Amino acid sequence: MASVLSALAFVPSPPLLLAELAGSATGELDDLRAAVREVCDDLGQSCHDWIGVGVGATTTWIDGDAAGTYAGFGADVVVGLAPDRGPVDRAMELAALTVGLLRGQAVPQWSVPVQLVARNASVQDVAAVALDLRGRVDAAPGPVGLLVVGDGATTLTDKAPGAFDDRAEAVQHAIDDALGRADVDALASLDAALCDALGVDGRVAWQVAATLVGPARVVPHSLFRGAPYGVGYHVASWSL
């Protein structure tokens, strides 16, 4: 019998999720970290397997024995996609590092592969990745959860990494509403050029998830929406 996609968890990827990098900023992100931990714990309880989905330089499947390090962000802390990790990839993309970090916290006994989607992926590319993921979900032995990693606009305040852009607030609001309501059509219709201009890194990961879910009935739950340091972060769960 084919497996089913049971739930999705949407999380951002700030390196400060790693405690060793937080330093004096730990308290400022307590609510975000608590929401991320809750949504991952829930995903672990409702599913037998996870697949991570995130954004990278190229569209790449990363097997569940890979490992990486946060050294490029200031702390040489190794995280793995499995309990028995392989050699450390010191160039592992942030989305995959985030999956490894959260896997280790929520389901340390599991192996979690990651599908990275190229930032410049076309509509056709997104559809192809979603189709491949559907095959992987259907081949799994039990209910599967997707851990979808993506960040919103980096241009929400003057001190944001991308500086301020007066278009960012409206776009981030639309993203937050779409993730909070499981509005797959709104996610699918996000404007690629505008999102790129505003530093919205999660667009293609969200669009792959939306394509995979399609018209299925979804029960959404939004746990966090905010913009620490001028970057839009949203934590949500979708149950199917």
Side-chain angles (χ1 to χ4, degrees), residues 78-129:
V78 174
V79 295
L81 301 182
D84 299 319
R85 57 182 183 245
V88 177
D89 176 5
R90 303 193 73 83
M92 179 177 276
E93 304 245 21
L94 180 56
L97 290 174
T98 304
V99 173
L101 174 66
L102 301 181
R103 177 211 67 82
Q105 295 173 352
V107 286
Q109 72 279 18
W110 291 9
S111 174
V112 180
V114 177
Q115 175 68 67
L116 295 181
V117 190
R119 289 180 177 85
N120 62 352
S122 67
V123 173
Q124 293 78 13
D125 293 335
V126 165
V129 171

Side-chain angles (χ1 to χ4, degrees), residues 4-135:
V4 295
L5 179 62
S6 175
L8 299 87
F10 295 86
V11 300
S13 63
L16 290 179
L17 287 177
L18 181 71
E20 288 84 348
L21 288 172
S24 61
T26 299
E28 298 175 26
L29 295 179
D30 279 351
D31 289 347
L32 173 62
R33 287 197 194 87
V36 168
R37 184 60 184 263
E38 180 179 343
V39 79
C40 289
D41 286 346
D42 288 347
L43 192 69
Q45 291 172 10
S46 64
C47 305
H48 292 176
D49 291 284
W50 285 7
I51 298 174
V53 180
V55 181
T58 61
T59 297
T60 308
W61 176 261
I62 304 177
D63 289 330
D65 61 352
T69 173
Y70 277 85
F73 299 96
D76 195 2
V77 175
V78 174
V79 295
L81 301 182
D84 299 319
R85 57 182 183 245
V88 177
D89 176 5
R90 303 193 73 83
M92 179 177 276
E93 304 245 21
L94 180 56
L97 290 174
T98 304
V99 173
L101 174 66
L102 301 181
R103 177 211 67 82
Q105 295 173 352
V107 286
Q109 72 279 18
W110 291 9
S111 174
V112 180
V114 177
Q115 175 68 67
L116 295 181
V117 190
R119 289 180 177 85
N120 62 352
S122 67
V123 173
Q124 293 78 13
D125 293 335
V126 165
V129 171
L131 182 62
D132 181 70
L133 281 176
R134 171 54 65 189

Side-chain angles (χ1 to χ4, degrees), residues 154-207:
T154 61
T155 48
L156 288 163
T157 66
D158 290 336
K159 295 183 178 180
F164 176 70
D165 190 308
D166 61 7
R167 301 171 293 176
E169 183 177 356
V171 172
Q172 185 62 46
H173 184 77
I175 291 168
D176 287 333
D177 281 353
L179 292 173
R181 298 173 182 170
D183 189 338
V184 297
D185 292 333
L187 292 173
S189 64
L190 288 172
D191 182 88
L194 180 58
C195 284
D196 288 346
L198 300 176
V200 178
D201 196 56
R203 176 184 61 85
V204 291
W206 300 328
Q207 290 180 332

